């Protein structure tokens, strides 16, 4: 859900996503902000057996880099003419990340397409 919500920030808060695109990489492993929470979620997923990653910090790097890359794609000339990275790009990225973390392809597909909270889309 967080991947999809962050991706949609590009439409609602373009100035914030510009900051993330150009300066967000150092914040992935910062001791404040979303990084520690994302790391906690990866560790909880690992502890529950839902995720299967050997090193949660490496997984955090992959998740953060993937999201920043998708935000950059959305703003690039590689996007389609409407300025989108393609239909469902947020769901596709969420699914890929979930698979990378250890969910089966079927489960990742289902989870990545669950409805977002009301008012979040």
């Amino acid at each position: 859900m967080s991947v999809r919500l962050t991706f949609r920030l590009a439409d609602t808060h373009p100035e914030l996503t510009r900051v993330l695109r150009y300066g967000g990489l150092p914040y992935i492993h910062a001791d404040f902000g979303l990084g520690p929470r994302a790391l906690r979620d990866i560790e909880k997923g690992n502890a529950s057996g839902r995720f299967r990653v050997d090193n949660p910090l490496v997984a955090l790097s992959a998740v953060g880099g993937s999201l920043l890359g998708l935000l950059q794609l959305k703003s690039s000339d590689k996007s389609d003419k409407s300025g989108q990275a393609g239909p469902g790009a947020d769901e596709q990225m969420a699914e890929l990340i979930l698979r990378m973390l250890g969910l089966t392809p079927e489960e990742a597909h289902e989870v990545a397409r669950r409805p977002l909270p009301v008012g979040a889309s």
Side-chain angles (χ1 to χ4, degrees), residues 52-65:
R52 290 177 294 284
V53 296
D54 292 330
N55 185 330
L57 286 172
V58 172
L60 177 62
S61 296
V63 170

Side-chain angles (χ1 to χ4, degrees), residues 20-79:
L20 286 173
R21 286 187 2 253
Y22 292 117
L25 201 54
Y27 293 103
I28 293 172
H29 293 286
D31 292 332
F32 55 89
L34 294 177
R37 286 180 232 142
L39 180 60
R40 178 202 63 213
D41 291 347
I42 292 168
E43 290 170 338
K44 286 171 83 173
N46 234 12
S48 75
R50 189 152 195 197
F51 294 164
R52 290 177 294 284
V53 296
D54 292 330
N55 185 330
L57 286 172
V58 172
L60 177 62
S61 296
V63 170
S66 297
L67 182 55
L68 291 174
L70 186 62
L71 287 173
Q72 185 62 35
L73 174 62
K74 184 177 176 90
S75 70
S76 76
D77 59 0
K78 303 264 188 248
S79 292

